[in-house]
């Protein structure tokens, strides 16, 4: 690459044998896919900046308010695929009021003129209305893929608009995941035109209403490129079998309800349908699965790498029988109905496992004395699954020594999310705080990028985190810490921290302000139910004008207390669409 | 930083927050004190002002109140320092005013801020009883919905024929169904097979907060009654201190010797249940398995209200006679 980066005139530049013409540079840079690499590329010099901006086709915006559509469009003229994330993550847990914002419409309007060739839109935690969906469907003739995760504001009528207006050659992906939407019925599925054959991804697992099965069957039968099909619970086993007849090329399947009265013949038809699904890498759904029908699945599991049983309340024995049929399993999601015994089976049957998520079947039950998983299940998994690097574990009790044992077995954790469900729960055996557990995690797991802490924790936990977690990017804290010092240690210590979300902790203004220098290098900070006051926030806003410091006011709350604080860097300035309960300081 | 702190009116007591966890803090103006309507247990935190001026009250997070009166039920997360934990009293006292925020719960009556928005998680939180914290545990709403419609199916699969109907009401995963249908009682074969849970609501006369009990954790009326007595009668301060199962066992063992007063008619309360037909019956008259199949919920009723029943209750041999129905008692 040319080392001359001074401003030669364009002709001179082109004459130099060692310098690349722009076109070549753009072509080369077209192979650079990662966003971080592209950001680095754009910082090298002006030529590279320009080449990068012209060659970029996909943009990822982690916080929709950090930039405006106008700025985006000005910098990147050739975008075909946009990924946008909106609300703070804690909105998933109802900590953010409705109508907070993150509405896609303003973006769509700008895109309609600047990116009329837009092909893909992936949204997470954004608000999108039916009108916007219709606008989307009509404004982008090349549109191919729509993915909505944890979004709200729309109904199935909006889906109808997408389906009905999409160019029949182009739509390849419709991925509607886990959204809070108005399910007005399943007729949207019947709106796919009869000549529509291009679908590759269809995921409507989280929609509740029934779709017309005949329409679905015809759709699946004519879309020969269909790779991903995730149906909802209303699709019965017998219907599933009919679908599977057409879809031997599926790589990802989400079943409907897995419990139905089947005759023996129907059962064996189901079994042979699954036998045809040799290409499956991902399997999910299986709601209400019982040991009666699970064996029908076994032939389809031979190549599975991701098994999502978080909708299936399996018992330990059922899991233990299923797992040996999945020898290549890398990712497993289960409910805690499998209990420790089930996790022992995981440990013994899944040596290649890299990711485990255990969700609680009864998260709000305080009185559960049986069921669920404990520290021994966690240890059992770690003993057998030495490659484990991602864990999300909901439990009601844990011990420091168990966590120490786990990370000793699996020192390569990149994501460690432990949720002891009762706040301030101490070590089950010693009754001490869980500080040492997280201490050993951060000391041992040098690659740790994401950490969620829980249980009884003092500032010591955060001292450990600040001191050792040098690669930490995301930290989630709830009901923890003893004083400002905790948060101060983290802000002073974790150089790669990008997202910090805190709730119900005794961190106040001193802690908030100790991060003055840090927030511009982070994506965002969330603090709710802490001890931060309005004055503290105002001070922060005053000192750091390039940050947006927003306070969400709740009815009836004290005027001096800042109940929910959201701080993020932005080049777009303060929000112009903030609702009345969001105060920008 | 002190100068800066001064601007904040001493908020946060910046200087003193450093290493002190013993609650020493600068006094600050009342303006920094957070709540007038605070109903929650809040203890001293080094960086936080003037706890001494706070009224420590204890609120029950009653579902209806949450939505209707945000100011009265405004609550803040409970914020503790480590020093609180050795002293059980400060946590136990949080339960003392609520007879039903029973044992084993360390999340006492705390709630985060409430919104009036209808969300599943909130509905779930309210209906489930004593102590709920908004958005905790951190489970996304769609998953809560899907748990609500989960059938915890039986594992009795040895028969050729399937024994599970496609029960439509389990599939109705509408947003607010979490608790009312959180029970699996269809097509259950009494085969001694292990089932996951069979939670039913229990209300006791005079106690505002209901509880839930897992009927599958019991194999007979005695142990069920014992558990219910423990839930509703046990003094909560001792309960909070005994959260290990070892302790629980000990307590239960101590109690086991005494026969359950709820069943023998000697207490001022009787245990009743509502069956599938909506009738209220005395618990104990039918075989346990049959009881499991028909029970919808339980109520610990004042004996005075359960008219005309007591003598029969002790005569368990008389199973041919239909179980007595309680006339005039209104379901809760």
């Amino acid at each position: 690459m040319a080392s001359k980066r001074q401003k030669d005139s364009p002709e001179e530049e082109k004459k130099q044998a060692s310098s690349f013409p722009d076109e070549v540079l753009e072509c080369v840079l077209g192979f650079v896919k990662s966003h971080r690499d592209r950001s680095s590329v754009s910082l090298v010099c002006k030529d590279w900046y320009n080449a990068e901006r012209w060659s970029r086709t996909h943009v990822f915006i982690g916080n929709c308010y950090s930039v405006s559509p106008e700025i985006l469009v000005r910098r990147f003229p050739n975008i075909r695929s946009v990924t946008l994330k909106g609300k703070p993550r804690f909105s998933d847990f109802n900590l953010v009021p409705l109508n907070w914002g993150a509405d896609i419409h303003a973006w769509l309007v700008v895109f309609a003129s600047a990116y009329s060739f837009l092909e893909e839109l992936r949204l997470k935690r954004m608000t999108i209305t039916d009108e916007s969906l219709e606008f989307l469907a009509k404004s982008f003739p090349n549109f191919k893929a729509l993915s909505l995760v944890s979004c709200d504001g729309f109904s199935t009528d909006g889906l109808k608009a997408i389906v009905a207006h999409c160019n029949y050659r182009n739509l390849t992906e419709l991925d509607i995941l886990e959204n809070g939407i108005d399910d007005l019925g399943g007729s949207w599925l019947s709106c796919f035109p009869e000549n529509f054959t291009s679908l590759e991804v269809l995921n409507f697992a989280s929609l509740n209403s029934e779709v017309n099965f005949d329409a679905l069957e015809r759709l699946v039968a004519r879309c020969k490129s269909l790779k991903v099909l995730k149906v909802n619970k209303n699709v019965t086993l017998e219907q599933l079998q009919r679908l599977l007849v057409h879809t031997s090329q599926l790589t990802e399947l989400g079943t409907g309800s897995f419990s139905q009265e089947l005759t023996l013949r129907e059962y064996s038809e189901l079994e042979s349908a699954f036998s045809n699904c040799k290409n499956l890498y991902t399997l999910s759904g299986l709601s209400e699965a019982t040991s009666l029908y699970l064996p029908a699945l076994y032939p389809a599991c031979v190549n599975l790498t991701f098994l999502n049983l978080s909708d299936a309340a399996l018992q330990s024995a059922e899991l233990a029988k299923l797992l040996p049929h999945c020898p290549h399993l890398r990712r497993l999601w289960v409910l805690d109905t499998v209990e420790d015994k089930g996790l022992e089976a995981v440990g013994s049957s899944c040596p290649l496992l890299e990711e485990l998520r255990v969700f609680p079947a009864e998260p709000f039950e305080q009185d559960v004395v049986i069921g669920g998983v404990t520290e021994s299940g966690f240890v059992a998994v770690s003993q057998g699954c030495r490659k484990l690097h991602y864990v999300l574990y909901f439990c009601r009790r844990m011990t420091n020594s168990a966590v120490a044992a786990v990370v000793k077995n699996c020192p390569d954790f990149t994501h460690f999310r432990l949720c002891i469900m009762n706040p301030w729960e101490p070590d089950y055996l010693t009754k001490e705080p869980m500080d040492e557990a997280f201490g050993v995690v951060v000391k041992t797991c040098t690659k740790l990028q994401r950490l969620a802490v829980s249980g009884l924790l003092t500032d010591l936990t955060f001292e450990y985190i600040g001191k050792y977690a040098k690669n930490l990017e995301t930290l989630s804290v709830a009901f923890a810490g003893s004083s400002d010092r905790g948060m101060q240690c983290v802000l002073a210590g974790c150089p790669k921290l990008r997202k910090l979300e805190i709730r119900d902790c005794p961190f106040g203004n001193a802690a908030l302000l100790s991060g003055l220098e840090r927030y511009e290098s982070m994506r965002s900070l969330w603090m709710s139910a802490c001890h931060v006051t309005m004055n503290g926030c105002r001070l922060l806003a005053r000192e750091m004008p390039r940050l947006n410091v927003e306070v969400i006011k709740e009815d009836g709350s004290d005027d001096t207390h800042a109940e929910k604080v959201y701080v993020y860097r932005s080049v777009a300035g303060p929000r112009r669409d903030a609702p009345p309960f969001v105060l920008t300081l | 930083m002190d100068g800066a702190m001064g601007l904040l009116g001493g908020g946060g007591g910046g200087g003193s927050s450093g290493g002190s966890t013993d609650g020493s803090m600068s006094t600050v103006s009342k303006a920094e004190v957070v709540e007038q309507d605070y109903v929650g247990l809040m203890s001293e935190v080094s960086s936080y002002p003037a706890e001494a001026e706070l009224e420590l009250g204890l609120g029950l997070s009653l579902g209806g109140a949450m939505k209707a009166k945000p100011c009265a039920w405004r609550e803040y997360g409970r914020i503790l320092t480590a020093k609180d934990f050795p002293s059980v009293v400060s946590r136990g006292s949080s339960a003392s005013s609520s007879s039903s925020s029973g044992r084993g719960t360390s999340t006492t009556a705390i709630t985060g801020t409430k919104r009036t928005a209808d969300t599943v998680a909130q509905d779930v939180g309210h209906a489930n009883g004593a102590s709920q914290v908004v958005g905790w545990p951190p489970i996304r709403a769609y998953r809560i919905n899907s748990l609500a419609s989960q059938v915890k199916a039986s594992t009795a699969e040895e028969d050729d024929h399937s024994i599970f109907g496609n029960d439509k009401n389990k599939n109705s995963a509408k947003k607010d169904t979490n608790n009312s249908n959180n029970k699996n009682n269809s097509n259950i074969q009494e085969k001694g097979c292990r089932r996951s849970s069979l939670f039913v609501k229990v209300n006791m006369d005079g106690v505002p907060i209901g509880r839930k009990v897992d009927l599958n954790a019991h194999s007979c009326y005695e142990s069920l009654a014992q558990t219910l007595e423990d839930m509703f009668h046990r003094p909560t301060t001792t309960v909070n201190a005994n959260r290990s199962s070892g302790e629980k066992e000990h307590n239960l063992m101590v109690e086991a010797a005494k026969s359950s007063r709820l069943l023998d008619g000697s207490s001022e309360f009787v245990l009743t249940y509502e069956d599938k037909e909506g009738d209220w019956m005395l618990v104990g008259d039918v075989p346990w398995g049959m009881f499991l199949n028909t029970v919808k919920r339980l109520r610990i009723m004042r004996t005075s209200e359960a008219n005309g029943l007591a003598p029969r209750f002790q005569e368990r041999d008389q199973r041919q006679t239909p179980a007595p129905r309680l006339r005039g008692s209104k379901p809760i």
Side-chain angles (χ1 to χ4, degrees), chain A residues 491-492 495 497 511-522 540 543-544 546-547 569, chain B residues 1:
Chain A
L491 288 169
L497 195 64
L512 175 71
L513 294 166
S514 71
L516 268 184
E517 311 292 318
R518 293 300 318 274
Y519 301 132
E520 275 187 2
S521 62
M522 290 168 55
L540 176 63
E543 294 293 314
M544 305 296 297
R546 278 185 307 212
L547 294 178
R569 63 182 176 189
Chain B
M1 231 14 195

Side-chain angles (χ1 to χ4, degrees), chain A residues 92-98 124-125 149-150 178-182 206 208 210 233-234 236 257 259-262 287-293 310-313 315 318 321 333 335 337 339 359-370 394 397 419-426 428 431 453-454 456 458-459 478-479 481-485 488 503-510 513-514 529-531 533 535-536 539 542 554-558 560-561 563-564, chain B residues 1 4-5 7-9 11-12 14 17-21 31-36 42 45-48 70-71 74-82 85 91 103-107 110 112-115 117 119 121-122 124 128 131-147 149-155 157 159 161-166 168 170-171 173-175 178 182 187 194-197 199 211-212 214 217 231 243-245 248:
Chain A
D92 282 347
F93 317 125
N94 301 319
L95 291 182
V96 175
L98 291 181
K124 187 167 187 181
R125 292 188 203 104
V149 180
S150 279
E178 307 159 9
N179 300 289
I181 75 172
D182 280 334
S206 55
N208 290 325
E210 282 197 46
K233 291 180 190 176
N234 297 106
T236 66
S257 158
S259 130
Q260 187 187 351
E261 294 196 23
L262 292 183
S287 64
E288 300 163 20
T290 67
S291 35
L292 200 60
Y293 297 127
S310 60
D311 280 323
Q315 307 293 315
E318 292 159 336
K321 282 192 221 147
W333 296 14
L335 283 178
T337 50
E339 297 183 356
F359 295 96
E362 303 262 357
F364 302 110
E365 273 306 319
Q366 303 292 339
D367 304 321
V368 174
V369 289
I370 59 166
F394 282 87
R397 63 181 229 209
C419 182
I420 305 170
M421 286 190 274
N422 292 341
W424 312 291
E425 185 81 10
Y428 180 74
K431 304 303 174 199
V453 299
S454 59
L456 177 61
T458 70
D459 286 342
F479 305 104
S482 342
S483 73
D484 282 333
R485 177 168 163 70
Q488 285 167 335
R503 62 166 291 177
D504 294 276
C505 294
F507 304 141
N509 293 330
L513 294 166
S514 71
C530 296
H531 292 162
T533 68
N535 280 339
L539 188 68
R542 193 158 55 235
E554 304 272 322
D555 294 335
S557 70
D558 185 297
T560 55
H561 185 238
E563 176 67 16
K564 293 178 180 170
Chain B
M1 231 14 195
M5 285 305 109
L7 287 176
L8 306 173
S17 68
S20 86
T21 55
E32 300 291 338
V33 173
V34 173
E35 41 277 329
Q36 299 87 340
M42 200 151 148
V45 176
S46 61
S47 62
Y48 202 65
C71 57
R74 193 92 228 107
E75 305 187 29
Y76 296 94
R78 174 179 177 171
I79 311 207
L80 295 176
T81 55
F85 291 94
R91 297 185 69 204
R103 61 181 169 178
T105 61
S106 52
T107 60
I110 309 145
T113 53
K114 283 288 193 183
R115 298 178 290 127
T119 59
Q122 287 193 351
V124 165
N128 255 320
S131 43
Q132 294 299 333
V133 181
V134 171
W136 190 264
I139 312 240
R140 285 154 74 177
Y142 83 92
R143 189 171 290 284
I144 293 167
N145 276 341
S146 114
L147 290 177
S149 62
Q150 273 299 315
V151 172
K152 292 156 189 141
S154 157
T155 54
E157 74 277 18
D159 310 341
H161 54 275
S162 99
I163 57 176
F164 328 101
N166 199 1
K168 279 298 178 207
K170 296 173 216 149
N171 285 338
K174 299 295 177 274
K175 284 186 183 178
N178 186 48
N182 194 13
N187 299 339
R194 193 224 185 280
R195 281 182 275 167
S196 47
S197 327
F199 279 98
R211 305 295 302 281
K212 280 178 115 181
D214 177 10
M231 264 187 201
R243 280 188 293 105
S244 68
S245 66
K248 274 186 196 147

Side-chain angles (χ1 to χ4, degrees), chain B residues 23 33 44 68 88 107 115-116 140 143-144 167 170 192 201 203-204 219 257 266 297 322:
Chain B
V33 173
E44 298 179 0
V88 175
T107 60
R115 298 178 290 127
T116 51
R140 285 154 74 177
R143 189 171 290 284
I144 293 167
D167 197 313
K170 296 173 216 149
K201 288 187 186 176
N203 287 85
M204 176 163 169
S219 52
S266 62
R297 54 184 167 148

